[in-house]
Amino acid sequence: MNNDKVEGNWKQFKGKVQEQWGKLTNDDLDVIEGRREQLLGRIQERHGVAKDEAERQVRDWESRNPTFFFEKS
């Protein structure tokens, strides 16, 4: 995927990500920058969930936001 598209999508979806995972900080979002593995790690860390639960949450979120594509780090 084109990095410009990832960055543009990330800026657009940053607010939605923070609504879903409220414990993520702006600094976390800056580090994540649309990278799926980074998001999974930060969800685990901030929300205290296991990797499989973080994966389930991200898959659910992706299904509700089909126009957004994470860079597969």
Side-chain angles (χ1 to χ4, degrees):
M1 170 179 288
N2 180 326
N3 277 344
D4 291 339
K5 183 171 175 89
V6 170
E7 288 177 23
N9 283 350
W10 183 239
K11 288 177 184 174
Q12 179 181 356
F13 282 98
K14 238 174 149 172
K16 288 185 177 190
V17 169
Q18 201 160 31
E19 284 176 22
Q20 177 71 32
W21 296 286
K23 293 182 181 178
L24 295 179
T25 66
N26 285 330
D27 288 341
D28 290 331
L29 296 173
D30 290 343
V31 168
I32 293 165
E33 292 184 326
R35 293 176 297 193
R36 193 173 196 283
E37 290 301 315
Q38 290 289 328
L39 176 61
L40 288 169
R42 294 295 170 137
I43 291 169
Q44 290 173 49
E45 195 176 299
R46 299 287 187 226
H47 289 267
V49 299
K51 185 174 183 171
D52 59 336
E53 175 59 18
E55 178 67 44
R56 185 195 63 75
Q57 290 179 18
V58 170
R59 272 195 321 269
D60 289 348
W61 188 86
E62 287 173 320
S63 72
R64 291 188 311 274
N65 296 280
T67 59
F68 180 77
F69 300 98
F70 283 96
E71 175 184 322
K72 299 296 183 189
S73 54

